[in-house]
Amino acid sequence: MAKRILVVDDAAFMRMMIKDILTKNGFEVVAEAADGMQALEKYKELQPDLVTMDITMPEMDGISSLKEIKKVNPNAKVIMCSAMGQQAMVIDAIQAGAKDFIVKPFQADRVIEAISKALS
């Protein structure tokens, strides 16, 4: 059965890019969210196998959303996505429980590697 993934990014273009990479590699994108609040709601509703989470978003940022998702499910698998130069945020994300992080612009092989590693 295909692994179910929730894609979270405030930029529709980025969601589309990641969704494209995932579906071409046999993953099922069960939902998309444009901010951390939506991500939390969708996570509770759908219980996906993994979440790709942007760090910088309106309403609730990715790290806050990650912490809330971890409260719902301590075993949640979340991979953070960040633009270059956000190393401090990436460290915060890993400390908050993120499995890995992917740097934008996305490279398909790196995305698949991070997701496969987190799911294994």
Side-chain angles (χ1 to χ4, degrees):
M1 196 171 97
K3 291 291 184 183
R4 302 164 62 252
I5 300 178
L6 168 62
V7 175
V8 186
D9 199 303
D10 57 330
F13 175 72
M14 286 297 173
R15 291 198 306 272
M16 190 181 75
M17 275 179 65
I18 232 173
K19 188 175 177 179
D20 189 49
I21 292 168
L22 295 173
T23 50
K24 282 181 178 162
N25 285 277
F27 295 99
E28 179 192 355
V29 175
V30 290
E32 296 178 29
D35 63 56
M37 289 301 283
Q38 281 182 13
L40 184 59
E41 287 163 20
K42 299 260 189 221
Y43 188 87
K44 287 177 184 171
E45 179 191 338
L46 302 164
Q47 298 289 310
D49 297 306
L50 185 132
V51 181
T52 64
M53 178 87 68
D54 185 21
I55 292 180
T56 313
M57 295 182 292
E59 296 296 322
M60 181 192 283
D61 67 73
I63 293 171
S64 301
S65 185
L66 165 67
K67 288 175 181 169
E68 291 302 316
I69 286 172
K70 284 288 192 180
K71 287 179 191 169
V72 174
N73 177 4
N75 299 316
K77 293 180 168 76
V78 181
I79 293 178
M80 305 307 286
C81 304
S82 74
M84 284 292 203
Q86 291 181 318
Q87 278 80 359
M89 286 179 171
V90 168
I91 292 164
D92 290 347
I94 300 293
Q95 287 171 341
K99 292 288 181 200
D100 203 343
F101 69 94
I102 316 167
V103 177
K104 297 174 185 177
F106 301 121
Q107 292 174 313
D109 54 351
R110 175 68 186 111
V111 171
I112 298 307
E113 174 199 341
I115 288 172
S116 301
K117 197 171 79 181
L119 290 170
S120 63

